[in-house]
Amino acid sequence: TDAPSGVYRGTVQVKADGGLVETLPLTLTVRPFDLGPNPLESSIYFHWGITLDPAGALRINSRSPAQYKAELINLREHGVDNPTLSVRFDPGQLLQELKLRREAGMRNDRLYCLVINTWNPPDQLKQVIELAKSFGYQEVYFYGIDEAQGDKLKGQRTQWEQVRALGGKVFVAGSIGHN
């Protein structure tokens, strides 16, 4: 960040087994301006029902809070500023994830709940909305049935209307030409 603008030239040496394999030229241009913040929101489907485990047993759906925070920071540093919320409905886990997201510098305007779904009981959805709003989130989205088509898609309407009545919103994946 403190390098003067200009063109820098050098080489990169590729070594293996203690010997030189290749020398590659490198040219780097430092521009005389800083980039502004990304105007786009970048999200990703991030874990399907993770458990935050203080013991730190690293398994497919288990992370210590420190491991999980490190993953969030890594995502943010690589341009993903609003991954989906990963925990199932559990007020303690939800509170902990929201704190970790805040500590990692994630956006807090919209929250996308991937595994707290539109078919969770209304009292749970309401608790999620209220807790998220206490962290500054303006909109809370709940996931519908993944890739639903036809009657299965239409059959969700009552649940989606209930989510809207509670103050939430809905997001879901679909495929072009399926509906």
Side-chain angles (χ1 to χ4, degrees):
T1 58
D2 59 351
S5 62
V7 177
Y8 295 81
R9 289 183 172 76
T11 58
V12 175
Q13 293 183 335
V14 180
K15 296 180 179 181
D17 298 324
L20 181 64
V21 175
E22 185 74 44
T23 299
L24 304 170
L26 176 68
T27 302
L28 176 72
T29 302
V30 175
R31 301 291 178 192
F33 56 85
D34 291 330
L35 293 175
N38 184 353
L40 303 175
E41 175 181 39
S42 298
S43 189
I44 190 171
Y45 286 74
F46 186 55
H47 294 298
W48 291 80
I50 198 164
T51 299
L52 297 173
D53 177 9
L58 185 61
R59 295 184 301 273
I60 190 164
N61 279 342
S62 178
R63 302 285 188 278
S64 74
Q67 291 164 334
Y68 188 72
K69 181 179 174 182
E71 288 182 347
L72 290 172
I73 290 170
N74 184 276
L75 286 173
R76 183 185 43 75
E77 288 176 347
H78 288 88
V80 177
D81 59 8
N82 197 5
T84 57
L85 182 90
S86 304
V87 296
R88 299 187 192 287
F89 181 80
D90 173 304
Q93 294 271 302
L94 180 59
L95 177 64
Q96 192 170 21
E97 182 167 352
L98 291 173
K99 285 180 180 177
L100 292 171
R101 289 171 67 94
R102 180 177 56 202
E103 291 170 12
M106 291 296 167
R107 292 173 67 133
N108 72 333
D109 49 353
R110 285 176 289 282
L111 183 65
Y112 300 103
C113 302
L114 187 59
V115 291
I116 302 173
N117 306 295
T118 57
W119 57 88
N120 276 65
D123 63 312
Q124 291 181 1
L125 299 177
K126 186 74 173 160
Q127 286 181 56
V128 172
I129 292 168
E130 289 171 359
L131 185 57
K133 289 197 181 259
S134 76
F135 276 80
Y137 289 93
Q138 301 300 308
E139 298 174 336
V140 180
Y141 289 77
F142 298 95
Y143 203 64
I145 297 174
D146 191 50
E147 303 273 347
Q149 300 176 37
D151 290 339
K152 191 171 184 179
L153 176 66
K154 292 177 188 173
Q156 298 179 78
R157 186 176 184 109
T158 301
Q159 290 169 310
W160 292 9
E161 288 172 347
Q162 185 174 31
V163 167
R164 297 285 295 187
L166 293 168
K169 295 187 176 187
V170 176
F171 77 115
V172 69
S175 296
I176 294 174
H178 285 188
N179 294 296

Coordinates of all heavy atoms in Angstrom, one line a residue, residues 77-156:
E77 N -11.4 -11.5 2.8 CA -10.2 -11.0 2.2 C -10.1 -11.4 0.7 O -9.3 -10.9 -0.1 CB -9.0 -11.6 2.9 CG -8.8 -10.9 4.3 CD -7.7 -11.5 5.1 OE1 -7.2 -12.6 4.8 OE2 -7.3 -10.8 6.1
H78 N -11.0 -12.4 0.3 CA -11.0 -12.8 -1.1 C -12.3 -12.4 -1.8 O -12.7 -12.9 -2.8 CB -10.8 -14.3 -1.2 CG -9.4 -14.7 -0.9 ND1 -9.0 -15.0 0.4 CD2 -8.3 -14.9 -1.7 CE1 -7.7 -15.3 0.4 NE2 -7.3 -15.2 -0.8
G79 N -12.9 -11.3 -1.3 CA -14.0 -10.7 -2.0 C -15.4 -11.2 -1.6 O -16.4 -10.6 -2.1
V80 N -15.6 -12.2 -0.8 CA -16.9 -12.6 -0.4 C -17.3 -11.9 0.9 O -16.7 -12.2 1.9 CB -17.0 -14.2 -0.2 CG1 -18.3 -14.6 0.2 CG2 -16.6 -14.9 -1.5
D81 N -18.2 -11.0 0.8 CA -18.5 -10.1 1.9 C -19.8 -10.4 2.6 O -20.2 -9.8 3.6 CB -18.5 -8.6 1.6 CG -19.5 -8.3 0.5 OD1 -20.3 -9.1 0.0 OD2 -19.4 -7.1 0.0
N82 N -20.6 -11.4 2.1 CA -21.8 -11.8 2.8 C -22.2 -13.3 2.5 O -23.2 -13.5 1.8 CB -23.0 -10.9 2.3 CG -24.2 -10.9 3.2 OD1 -24.1 -11.6 4.3 ND2 -25.2 -10.3 2.9
P83 N -21.4 -14.2 3.0 CA -21.8 -15.6 2.8 C -23.1 -16.0 3.5 O -23.5 -15.2 4.4 CB -20.6 -16.4 3.4 CG -20.1 -15.5 4.4 CD -20.3 -14.1 3.9
T84 N -23.7 -17.1 3.2 CA -24.9 -17.5 3.8 C -24.6 -17.8 5.3 O -23.6 -18.2 5.7 CB -25.6 -18.7 3.2 OG1 -24.6 -19.8 3.1 CG2 -26.1 -18.4 1.8
L85 N -25.7 -17.6 6.1 CA -25.6 -18.0 7.5 C -25.7 -19.5 7.6 O -26.5 -20.1 6.9 CB -26.8 -17.4 8.3 CG -26.9 -17.7 9.8 CD1 -26.2 -16.6 10.5 CD2 -28.3 -17.8 10.2
S86 N -24.8 -20.1 8.4 CA -24.6 -21.5 8.3 C -25.2 -22.4 9.4 O -25.3 -23.6 9.3 CB -23.1 -21.8 8.4 OG -22.5 -21.1 7.3
V87 N -25.6 -21.8 10.6 CA -26.0 -22.7 11.7 C -27.5 -23.0 11.6 O -28.3 -22.2 11.0 CB -25.7 -22.0 13.1 CG1 -24.3 -21.9 13.3 CG2 -26.4 -20.7 13.2
R88 N -27.9 -24.1 12.1 CA -29.3 -24.5 12.2 C -29.9 -23.6 13.4 O -29.2 -22.9 14.1 CB -29.5 -25.9 12.6 CG -28.9 -26.8 11.5 CD -29.2 -28.3 11.7 NE -28.5 -29.1 10.8 CZ -28.7 -29.3 9.5 NH1 -29.6 -28.6 8.9 NH2 -27.9 -30.1 8.8
F89 N -31.2 -23.7 13.5 CA -31.9 -22.9 14.6 C -31.4 -23.3 16.0 O -31.7 -24.5 16.4 CB -33.4 -22.8 14.5 CG -34.0 -22.0 15.5 CD1 -34.0 -20.6 15.4 CD2 -34.4 -22.5 16.7 CE1 -34.5 -19.8 16.3 CE2 -34.9 -21.7 17.7 CZ -35.0 -20.3 17.5
D90 N -30.7 -22.5 16.6 CA -30.3 -22.7 18.0 C -29.9 -21.3 18.5 O -28.9 -20.7 17.9 CB -29.1 -23.6 18.1 CG -28.5 -23.7 19.5 OD1 -28.1 -22.7 20.1 OD2 -28.4 -24.8 20.0
P91 N -30.6 -20.7 19.4 CA -30.4 -19.3 19.7 C -28.9 -19.0 20.1 O -28.3 -18.0 19.7 CB -31.3 -19.0 20.9 CG -32.5 -19.9 20.6 CD -31.9 -21.2 20.0
G92 N -28.3 -19.9 20.9 CA -26.9 -19.7 21.3 C -25.9 -19.8 20.1 O -25.0 -18.9 20.0
Q93 N -26.1 -20.7 19.2 CA -25.3 -20.8 18.0 C -25.5 -19.7 17.1 O -24.5 -19.1 16.5 CB -25.6 -22.1 17.2 CG -25.2 -23.4 18.0 CD -23.8 -23.9 17.7 OE1 -23.4 -24.1 16.6 NE2 -23.0 -24.0 18.8
L94 N -26.7 -19.3 16.9 CA -27.1 -18.1 16.0 C -26.4 -16.8 16.6 O -25.8 -16.1 15.8 CB -28.6 -18.0 16.0 CG -29.1 -16.8 15.1 CD1 -28.7 -17.0 13.7 CD2 -30.6 -16.8 15.2
L95 N -26.5 -16.6 17.8 CA -25.9 -15.4 18.4 C -24.4 -15.5 18.2 O -23.8 -14.5 17.8 CB -26.2 -15.4 19.9 CG -25.6 -14.2 20.7 CD1 -26.0 -12.9 20.2 CD2 -25.8 -14.4 22.2
Q96 N -23.8 -16.6 18.4 CA -22.4 -16.8 18.3 C -21.9 -16.5 16.8 O -21.0 -15.8 16.5 CB -21.9 -18.2 18.7 CG -20.4 -18.3 18.9 CD -20.0 -19.6 19.5 OE1 -20.8 -20.6 19.6 NE2 -18.9 -19.7 20.1
E97 N -22.7 -17.1 15.9 CA -22.3 -16.9 14.4 C -22.5 -15.4 14.1 O -21.6 -14.8 13.4 CB -23.1 -17.7 13.5 CG -22.7 -17.5 12.1 CD -23.2 -18.4 11.0 OE1 -23.8 -19.4 11.3 OE2 -22.9 -18.1 9.8
L98 N -23.5 -14.7 14.5 CA -23.7 -13.3 14.2 C -22.5 -12.5 14.8 O -22.0 -11.5 14.1 CB -25.0 -12.8 14.7 CG -26.2 -13.3 13.9 CD1 -27.5 -12.9 14.5 CD2 -26.2 -12.9 12.4
K99 N -22.1 -12.8 16.0 CA -20.9 -12.1 16.6 C -19.7 -12.4 15.7 O -18.9 -11.4 15.5 CB -20.7 -12.6 18.0 CG -21.7 -12.0 19.0 CD -21.4 -12.5 20.4 CE -22.4 -12.0 21.4 NZ -22.2 -12.5 22.8
L100 N -19.4 -13.6 15.3 CA -18.3 -13.9 14.5 C -18.3 -13.2 13.2 O -17.2 -12.7 12.7 CB -18.1 -15.4 14.4 CG -17.8 -16.2 15.6 CD1 -17.9 -17.7 15.4 CD2 -16.4 -15.9 16.1
R101 N -19.5 -13.1 12.6 CA -19.6 -12.4 11.3 C -19.2 -11.0 11.5 O -18.5 -10.4 10.7 CB -21.0 -12.6 10.7 CG -21.4 -14.0 10.3 CD -22.8 -14.1 9.9 NE -23.2 -13.3 8.8 CZ -23.2 -13.7 7.5 NH1 -22.9 -15.0 7.3 NH2 -23.5 -12.9 6.5
R102 N -19.7 -10.4 12.6 CA -19.4 -8.9 12.8 C -17.9 -8.8 13.0 O -17.3 -7.9 12.5 CB -20.2 -8.5 14.0 CG -19.9 -7.0 14.4 CD -20.8 -6.5 15.5 NE -20.6 -7.3 16.7 CZ -21.4 -7.4 17.7 NH1 -22.6 -6.7 17.7 NH2 -21.2 -8.1 18.7
E103 N -17.3 -9.7 13.9 CA -15.9 -9.6 14.1 C -15.0 -9.8 12.9 O -13.9 -9.2 12.7 CB -15.5 -10.6 15.2 CG -16.0 -10.3 16.6 CD -15.8 -11.5 17.5 OE1 -15.1 -12.4 17.2 OE2 -16.4 -11.4 18.6
A104 N -15.5 -10.6 11.9 CA -14.8 -10.8 10.7 C -15.0 -9.7 9.6 O -14.4 -9.8 8.6 CB -15.2 -12.2 10.1
G105 N -15.9 -8.8 9.9 CA -16.1 -7.6 9.0 C -17.0 -7.9 7.9 O -17.0 -7.2 6.9
M106 N -17.9 -8.9 8.1 CA -18.9 -9.2 7.0 C -20.0 -8.1 7.0 O -20.2 -7.4 8.0 CB -19.6 -10.5 7.3 CG -18.7 -11.7 7.1 SD -18.2 -11.8 5.4 CE -16.9 -13.0 5.5
R107 N -20.6 -7.9 5.8 CA -21.7 -7.0 5.7 C -22.8 -7.3 6.6 O -23.0 -8.5 7.0 CB -22.3 -7.0 4.3 CG -21.4 -6.5 3.2 CD -22.0 -6.8 1.8 NE -23.2 -6.0 1.6 CZ -23.4 -5.3 0.5 NH1 -22.5 -5.3 -0.5 NH2 -24.5 -4.6 0.4
N108 N -23.6 -6.3 7.0 CA -24.8 -6.6 7.9 C -26.0 -5.9 7.4 O -26.9 -5.6 8.2 CB -24.5 -6.3 9.3 CG -24.4 -4.8 9.6 OD1 -24.1 -4.0 8.7 ND2 -24.7 -4.5 10.8
D109 N -26.2 -5.8 6.1 CA -27.5 -5.2 5.6 C -28.5 -6.3 5.3 O -29.6 -6.2 5.6 CB -27.2 -4.3 4.4 CG -26.3 -4.9 3.3 OD1 -25.8 -6.0 3.5 OD2 -26.2 -4.3 2.3
R110 N -28.0 -7.4 4.7 CA -28.9 -8.5 4.4 C -28.3 -9.8 4.9 O -27.1 -10.0 4.8 CB -29.1 -8.7 2.8 CG -30.0 -7.6 2.2 CD -30.0 -7.8 0.7 NE -28.8 -7.4 0.1 CZ -28.4 -6.1 -0.1 NH1 -29.2 -5.1 0.2 NH2 -27.3 -5.8 -0.7
L111 N -29.1 -10.6 5.5 CA -28.7 -11.9 6.0 C -29.4 -13.0 5.3 O -30.7 -13.0 5.2 CB -29.0 -12.0 7.5 CG -28.6 -13.2 8.3 CD1 -27.0 -13.3 8.3 CD2 -29.1 -13.3 9.7
Y112 N -28.7 -14.0 4.7 CA -29.2 -15.1 4.0 C -29.1 -16.3 4.8 O -28.0 -16.9 5.0 CB -28.5 -15.2 2.7 CG -28.5 -14.0 1.8 CD1 -27.4 -13.2 1.7 CD2 -29.7 -13.7 1.1 CE1 -27.5 -12.0 0.9 CE2 -29.8 -12.6 0.3 CZ -28.7 -11.7 0.2 OH -28.7 -10.6 -0.6
C113 N -30.2 -16.8 5.3 CA -30.2 -18.0 6.2 C -30.5 -19.2 5.3 O -31.5 -19.4 4.8 CB -31.4 -17.9 7.2 SG -31.3 -16.5 8.3
L114 N -29.4 -20.0 5.2 CA -29.5 -21.2 4.3 C -30.1 -22.4 4.9 O -30.9 -23.1 4.3 CB -28.1 -21.5 3.8 CG -27.9 -22.6 2.8 CD1 -28.7 -22.2 1.5 CD2 -26.5 -22.9 2.4
V115 N -29.8 -22.7 6.2 CA -30.4 -23.9 6.8 C -31.5 -23.6 7.9 O -32.0 -24.5 8.5 CB -29.3 -24.8 7.4 CG1 -28.5 -25.4 6.3 CG2 -28.4 -24.0 8.4
I116 N -31.7 -22.3 8.1 CA -32.9 -21.9 8.8 C -33.9 -21.5 7.7 O -33.7 -20.5 7.1 CB -32.7 -20.8 9.8 CG1 -31.6 -21.2 10.8 CG2 -34.0 -20.4 10.5 CD1 -31.2 -20.0 11.7
N117 N -34.8 -22.4 7.4 CA -35.6 -22.3 6.2 C -37.0 -21.8 6.3 O -37.5 -21.6 7.4 CB -35.7 -23.8 5.6 CG -34.4 -24.4 5.4 OD1 -33.6 -24.0 4.7 ND2 -34.1 -25.5 6.2
T118 N -37.7 -21.6 5.2 CA -39.0 -21.1 5.2 C -40.0 -22.0 6.0 O -41.0 -21.6 6.4 CB -39.5 -20.9 3.8 OG1 -39.5 -22.1 3.1 CG2 -38.7 -19.8 3.1
W119 N -39.6 -23.3 6.1 CA -40.5 -24.2 6.8 C -40.2 -24.4 8.3 O -40.8 -25.2 9.0 CB -40.6 -25.6 6.1 CG -39.2 -26.3 6.0 CD1 -38.6 -27.1 6.9 CD2 -38.3 -26.2 4.9 NE1 -37.4 -27.5 6.4 CE2 -37.2 -26.9 5.2 CE3 -38.4 -25.5 3.7 CZ2 -36.1 -27.0 4.3 CZ3 -37.3 -25.6 2.8 CH2 -36.2 -26.4 3.1
N120 N -39.2 -23.6 8.8 CA -39.0 -23.6 10.3 C -40.3 -23.0 10.9 O -41.0 -22.2 10.3 CB -37.8 -22.7 10.6 CG -36.5 -23.5 10.5 OD1 -36.1 -23.9 9.5 ND2 -35.8 -23.6 11.7
P121 N -40.6 -23.3 12.1 CA -41.7 -22.8 12.8 C -41.7 -21.2 12.9 O -40.6 -20.7 13.0 CB -41.7 -23.4 14.2 CG -40.8 -24.6 14.1 CD -39.9 -24.3 13.0
P122 N -42.9 -20.6 12.7 CA -42.9 -19.1 12.7 C -42.2 -18.5 13.9 O -41.6 -17.4 13.8 CB -44.4 -18.8 12.7 CG -45.0 -20.0 12.1 CD -44.2 -21.2 12.5
D123 N -42.4 -19.1 15.1 CA -41.7 -18.5 16.3 C -40.2 -18.4 16.1 O -39.5 -17.5 16.6 CB -42.2 -19.1 17.6 CG -41.7 -20.6 17.7 OD1 -42.0 -21.4 16.7 OD2 -41.2 -21.0 18.7
Q124 N -39.6 -19.5 15.5 CA -38.2 -19.5 15.3 C -37.8 -18.4 14.3 O -36.8 -17.7 14.5 CB -37.7 -20.9 14.8 CG -37.8 -21.9 15.9 CD -37.4 -23.3 15.4 OE1 -36.9 -23.5 14.2 NE2 -37.4 -24.3 16.2
L125 N -38.5 -18.3 13.2 CA -38.2 -17.3 12.2 C -38.3 -15.9 12.8 O -37.4 -15.1 12.5 CB -39.2 -17.4 11.0 CG -39.2 -18.8 10.3 CD1 -40.3 -18.8 9.2 CD2 -37.8 -19.1 9.7
K126 N -39.3 -15.7 13.6 CA -39.4 -14.4 14.3 C -38.2 -14.1 15.2 O -37.7 -13.0 15.2 CB -40.7 -14.3 15.1 CG -41.0 -13.0 15.7 CD -41.5 -12.1 14.6 CE -42.0 -10.8 15.2 NZ -42.0 -9.7 14.3
Q127 N -37.7 -15.1 15.9 CA -36.6 -14.9 16.8 C -35.3 -14.6 15.9 O -34.5 -13.8 16.3 CB -36.3 -16.2 17.6 CG -37.3 -16.4 18.7 CD -36.9 -17.7 19.5 OE1 -35.8 -17.8 20.0 NE2 -37.9 -18.6 19.6
V128 N -35.2 -15.3 14.8 CA -34.0 -15.0 13.9 C -34.1 -13.6 13.4 O -33.1 -12.9 13.5 CB -34.0 -16.0 12.8 CG1 -32.9 -15.6 11.8 CG2 -33.8 -17.5 13.3
I129 N -35.2 -13.2 13.0 CA -35.4 -11.8 12.5 C -35.0 -10.8 13.5 O -34.3 -9.8 13.3 CB -36.8 -11.6 11.9 CG1 -37.0 -12.4 10.6 CG2 -37.1 -10.1 11.6 CD1 -38.5 -12.5 10.2
E130 N -35.6 -11.0 14.7 CA -35.3 -10.0 15.8 C -33.9 -10.0 16.2 O -33.3 -8.9 16.4 CB -36.2 -10.4 17.0 CG -37.7 -10.1 16.8 CD -38.6 -10.6 17.9 OE1 -38.1 -11.2 18.9 OE2 -39.8 -10.4 17.8
L131 N -33.2 -11.1 16.3 CA -31.8 -11.2 16.7 C -31.0 -10.5 15.6 O -30.1 -9.7 15.8 CB -31.3 -12.6 16.9 CG -29.9 -12.8 17.4 CD1 -29.7 -12.0 18.7 CD2 -29.6 -14.2 17.6
A132 N -31.3 -10.8 14.3 CA -30.5 -10.2 13.2 C -30.7 -8.7 13.2 O -29.7 -8.0 13.0 CB -31.0 -10.8 11.9
K133 N -31.9 -8.2 13.5 CA -32.1 -6.8 13.5 C -31.3 -6.1 14.6 O -30.8 -5.0 14.5 CB -33.5 -6.5 13.5 CG -34.2 -6.8 12.2 CD -35.6 -6.2 12.1 CE -36.2 -6.6 10.7 NZ -36.1 -5.6 9.7
S134 N -31.1 -6.9 15.7 CA -30.3 -6.3 16.8 C -28.8 -6.2 16.5 O -28.1 -5.4 17.1 CB -30.5 -7.2 18.1 OG -29.7 -8.4 18.0
F135 N -28.4 -6.9 15.4 CA -27.1 -6.8 14.9 C -27.0 -5.8 13.7 O -26.0 -5.7 13.0 CB -26.5 -8.1 14.4 CG -25.9 -8.9 15.6 CD1 -26.8 -9.6 16.5 CD2 -24.6 -9.0 15.8 CE1 -26.2 -10.3 17.5 CE2 -24.0 -9.7 16.8 CZ -24.9 -10.4 17.7
G136 N -28.1 -5.1 13.4 CA -28.1 -4.1 12.4 C -28.6 -4.6 11.0 O -28.7 -3.8 10.1
Y137 N -29.0 -5.9 10.9 CA -29.5 -6.3 9.6 C -30.8 -5.7 9.3 O -31.7 -5.6 10.1 CB -29.6 -7.9 9.6 CG -28.2 -8.6 9.6 CD1 -27.6 -8.9 10.8 CD2 -27.6 -8.8 8.4 CE1 -26.4 -9.5 10.8 CE2 -26.3 -9.4 8.4 CZ -25.7 -9.8 9.6 OH -24.5 -10.4 9.6
Q138 N -31.0 -5.3 8.0 CA -32.2 -4.7 7.6 C -33.2 -5.7 7.0 O -34.4 -5.5 7.1 CB -31.9 -3.5 6.6 CG -31.0 -2.5 7.1 CD -31.6 -1.8 8.3 OE1 -32.7 -1.3 8.3 NE2 -30.8 -1.7 9.4
E139 N -32.6 -6.7 6.3 CA -33.4 -7.7 5.7 C -32.9 -9.1 6.0 O -31.7 -9.3 6.0 CB -33.4 -7.5 4.1 CG -33.9 -6.2 3.7 CD -33.7 -6.0 2.2 OE1 -32.8 -6.6 1.6 OE2 -34.5 -5.2 1.6
V140 N -33.8 -10.0 6.3 CA -33.4 -11.4 6.6 C -34.2 -12.3 5.7 O -35.4 -12.3 5.6 CB -33.8 -11.7 8.1 CG1 -33.4 -13.2 8.4 CG2 -33.2 -10.8 9.1
Y141 N -33.4 -13.1 4.9 CA -33.9 -14.0 3.9 C -33.8 -15.4 4.4 O -32.8 -15.8 5.0 CB -33.1 -13.9 2.6 CG -33.3 -12.6 1.9 CD1 -32.7 -11.4 2.3 CD2 -34.1 -12.6 0.7 CE1 -32.9 -10.2 1.6 CE2 -34.3 -11.4 0.0 CZ -33.7 -10.2 0.5 OH -33.8 -9.1 -0.2
F142 N -34.9 -16.2 4.1 CA -34.9 -17.6 4.5 C -35.0 -18.4 3.2 O -35.7 -18.0 2.3 CB -36.1 -17.9 5.4 CG -36.0 -17.2 6.7 CD1 -36.7 -16.0 6.9 CD2 -35.3 -17.7 7.8 CE1 -36.6 -15.3 8.1 CE2 -35.2 -17.0 9.0 CZ -35.8 -15.8 9.1
Y143 N -34.3 -19.6 3.2 CA -34.2 -20.4 2.0 C -35.5 -21.3 1.8 O -36.0 -21.9 2.8 CB -33.0 -21.3 2.1 CG -32.5 -21.8 0.8 CD1 -32.0 -20.9 -0.2 CD2 -32.5 -23.1 0.4 CE1 -31.5 -21.3 -1.4 CE2 -32.0 -23.5 -0.8 CZ -31.5 -22.6 -1.7 OH -31.0 -23.0 -2.9
G144 N -36.0 -21.3 0.6 CA -37.1 -22.2 0.2 C -36.6 -23.5 -0.2 O -35.4 -23.8 0.0
I145 N -37.4 -24.4 -0.7 CA -37.0 -25.7 -1.2 C -36.1 -25.5 -2.4 O -36.5 -24.9 -3.4 CB -38.2 -26.6 -1.5 CG1 -39.1 -26.8 -0.2 CG2 -37.8 -27.9 -2.1 CD1 -40.4 -27.5 -0.4
D146 N -34.9 -26.1 -2.3 CA -33.9 -26.0 -3.3 C -34.4 -26.6 -4.7 O -34.9 -27.7 -4.7 CB -32.7 -26.7 -2.9 CG -31.5 -26.4 -3.7 OD1 -31.2 -25.2 -4.0 OD2 -30.8 -27.4 -4.1
E147 N -34.2 -25.8 -5.7 CA -34.5 -26.2 -7.1 C -35.9 -26.8 -7.3 O -36.1 -27.6 -8.2 CB -33.5 -27.3 -7.5 CG -32.0 -26.8 -7.4 CD -31.5 -26.1 -8.6 OE1 -32.1 -26.2 -9.7 OE2 -30.4 -25.5 -8.5
A148 N -36.9 -26.3 -6.5 CA -38.3 -26.9 -6.7 C -38.8 -26.4 -8.0 O -38.5 -25.4 -8.5 CB -39.1 -26.4 -5.5
Q149 N -39.7 -27.3 -8.5 CA -40.4 -27.0 -9.8 C -41.9 -27.3 -9.7 O -42.3 -28.1 -8.8 CB -39.8 -27.9 -10.9 CG -38.3 -27.8 -11.1 CD -37.8 -28.8 -12.2 OE1 -38.5 -29.1 -13.1 NE2 -36.6 -29.3 -11.9
G150 N -42.6 -26.7 -10.6 CA -44.0 -27.0 -10.7 C -44.8 -26.9 -9.4 O -44.7 -25.9 -8.7
D151 N -45.6 -27.9 -9.1 CA -46.4 -27.9 -7.9 C -45.6 -27.9 -6.6 O -46.1 -27.3 -5.7 CB -47.3 -29.2 -7.9 CG -48.4 -29.2 -9.0 OD1 -48.7 -28.1 -9.5 OD2 -48.9 -30.2 -9.3
K152 N -44.4 -28.4 -6.6 CA -43.6 -28.3 -5.4 C -43.2 -26.9 -5.2 O -43.1 -26.4 -4.0 CB -42.3 -29.2 -5.6 CG -41.6 -29.4 -4.3 CD -40.5 -30.4 -4.5 CE -39.8 -30.7 -3.2 NZ -38.7 -31.7 -3.3
L153 N -42.9 -26.1 -6.2 CA -42.6 -24.7 -6.1 C -43.9 -24.0 -5.6 O -43.8 -23.2 -4.7 CB -42.1 -24.1 -7.4 CG -41.8 -22.6 -7.4 CD1 -40.7 -22.3 -6.5 CD2 -41.5 -22.2 -8.8
K154 N -45.0 -24.2 -6.3 CA -46.2 -23.5 -6.0 C -46.7 -23.8 -4.6 O -47.3 -23.0 -3.9 CB -47.3 -23.8 -7.0 CG -47.0 -23.3 -8.4 CD -48.1 -23.7 -9.4 CE -47.8 -23.4 -10.8 NZ -48.8 -24.0 -11.7
G155 N -46.4 -25.0 -4.1 CA -46.9 -25.4 -2.8 C -46.2 -24.7 -1.7 O -46.6 -24.8 -0.5
Q156 N -45.1 -23.9 -2.0 CA -44.4 -23.2 -0.9 C -45.1 -21.8 -0.6 O -44.7 -21.2 0.3 CB -43.0 -23.0 -1.3 CG -42.2 -24.2 -1.5 CD -40.8 -23.9 -1.9 OE1 -39.9 -23.5 -1.1 NE2 -40.5 -24.0 -3.2

